[in-house]
Amino acid sequence: MALPNQAVLAERKKLHVGAEIVQNQQSNDFPGHWPGENHEWDLEYFKENFNVQFHARPTPYDSSFSLSGVDTSVANAFRRIMLSELPTLAIEDVFIYQNTSIIQDEVLAHRLGLIPLCGDPKGLEWMKWYVKPTDDDEGSGGPSDFNCAILHLDVECTWQEGGLQRAVAGETDPDKLYVNHSVYAKDLVWAPLGKQAEMFDDAQPIRATNPDILIVKMRPGQRITLTMHAMKGIGQDHAKFSPVATASYRLMPTIDILSPIVGADAKKFARCFPKGVIRLDKITDAEAASNPELAGHAGENKAVVDKPMNDTVSRECLRHPEFKDKVRLGRVRDHFIFRVESTGQIESDELFLQSVRELKIKTLRIKRGLDEMMK
């Protein structure tokens, strides 16, 4: 049994986007398999079709890349693993000794837990999971240097020198009146415990990723004194452990111009898409002579698809009757454009690599289970 030609295979990969509906989106019982055809797994065929391409140099907080040649279930597995199954460090327990601000204790603790933390990657990898001791584990378990990071916050708001007199005179600028009137994430102080001082580089201590996150505002006479325990967890347990601000993907758009769009229509057609998607080229004499549809249009503009990846598939062009039969929109069902925004603890490109490792561990676990069943 032979595979169909490339034209049929290319058509299978496209979702047809109409003015009101999306066609060819249905799948079969086994994705990538069709009756009467041989779709036996072939590693070499997978290597030829699978591709990962970064669109720009990734930054620690943001990366965008294309993943092509895999089924939707695999691409979505990577996304879900990045969201909820990669362990990170976050504030879990807050011990409040004094809080005379207007923020309630439970709201303050919740705010602190949602502050993204970062530090030396080697030290964070060295830290292990915290297992809460039970009643039977008397004298064992509990926080330690390898499973807990301790941070302190001790801030008191006071009057600036002469601030009270300036307030009486009508001054309202808090920066001129008070000291420590705004408590920020940069005020969290990490206290190394045991071997943590050795495992973490002095230049990369455990700290808030974004130091300017506002925690609370205070006025003279108010004070906050507390201790925090940061521990490892996964986003499946709580969103504060998720290493990404967002991890999403969309399918690669396709724009097929079925017949030439020239002149004023070409400019109108380009305005139907985001900037850069459609390019306007001059029709040469050779093109006008070789293509009957371009005859007599030499020197005029012609619409050409330039950067389809930038298209948002708004279908704006399908609203205009002059383009109804001249363009066909679609998406490639096995080409995924990923956008990963890290919270700062794990770099954005490393997040994808860790999700691949995690999925590999899952498949090996399933394989071992199947082997045990077959014995």
Side-chain angles (χ1 to χ4, degrees), residues 61 114-118 184-186 207-214 342-344:
Y61 298 102
L114 293 176
I115 295 176
L117 302 177
C118 65
Y184 294 97
K186 61 186 177 184
R207 63 198 186 279
T209 303
N210 303 291
D212 295 329
I213 294 177
L214 180 64
S342 171
T343 57

Side-chain angles (χ1 to χ4, degrees), residues 160-307:
Q160 286 218 28
E161 184 178 353
L164 183 58
Q165 290 79 5
R166 286 195 292 269
V168 173
E171 179 63 63
T172 58
D173 186 354
D175 291 331
K176 298 179 180 179
L177 298 175
Y178 318 120
V179 177
N180 296 329
H181 62 89
S182 294
V183 182
Y184 294 97
K186 61 186 177 184
D187 296 319
L188 305 182
V189 180
W190 172 52
L193 186 67
K195 290 188 65 177
Q196 290 178 0
E198 303 174 17
M199 302 306 298
F200 284 84
D201 186 2
D202 293 340
Q204 302 183 79
I206 296 177
R207 63 198 186 279
T209 303
N210 303 291
D212 295 329
I213 294 177
L214 180 64
I215 300 175
V216 62
K217 289 187 176 183
M218 299 193 299
R219 288 298 179 263
Q222 297 179 353
R223 181 171 185 171
I224 293 177
T225 304
L226 52 83
T227 298
M228 296 151 281
H229 286 183
M231 303 169 184
K232 273 194 170 182
I234 56 176
Q236 190 173 351
D237 295 332
H238 195 284
K240 66 184 178 184
F241 293 112
S242 182
V244 295
T246 182
S248 62
Y249 64 76
R250 59 189 177 95
L251 296 179
M252 177 70 172
T254 61
I255 305 169
D256 298 323
I257 297 178
L258 305 179
S259 60
I261 302 176
V262 299
D265 285 348
K267 292 183 178 180
K268 182 178 180 180
F269 184 73
R271 290 195 297 268
C272 294
F273 297 87
K275 187 176 181 180
V277 174
I278 301 298
R279 186 181 74 244
L280 299 179
D281 290 348
K282 294 292 184 181
I283 301 174
T284 63
D285 294 335
E287 289 176 327
S290 60
N291 190 342
E293 293 182 314
L294 296 178
H297 295 285
E300 297 184 15
N301 289 322
K302 177 183 66 173
V304 178
V305 179
D306 188 19
K307 298 177 181 178

Side-chain angles (χ1 to χ4, degrees), residues 12 14-16 21-28 72 251 333:
R12 284 177 178 174
K14 286 187 179 181
L15 304 178
H16 301 308
I21 60 174
V22 178
Q23 298 175 319
N24 196 35
Q25 78 277 20
Q26 68 278 2
S27 183
N28 40 34
T72 306
L251 296 179
R333 66 168 72 238

Side-chain angles (χ1 to χ4, degrees), residues 52-73:
V52 179
Q53 180 181 5
F54 280 84
H55 303 141
R57 186 179 182 85
T59 68
Y61 298 102
D62 190 10
S63 64
S64 178
F65 59 91
S66 285
L67 185 70
S68 56
V70 294
D71 185 67
T72 306
S73 58

Side-chain angles (χ1 to χ4, degrees), residues 122-135:
K122 293 181 180 179
L124 293 172
E125 186 177 354
W126 167 77
M127 292 186 66
K128 308 302 180 184
W129 289 82
Y130 171 75
V131 180
K132 189 174 183 179
T134 62
D135 295 337

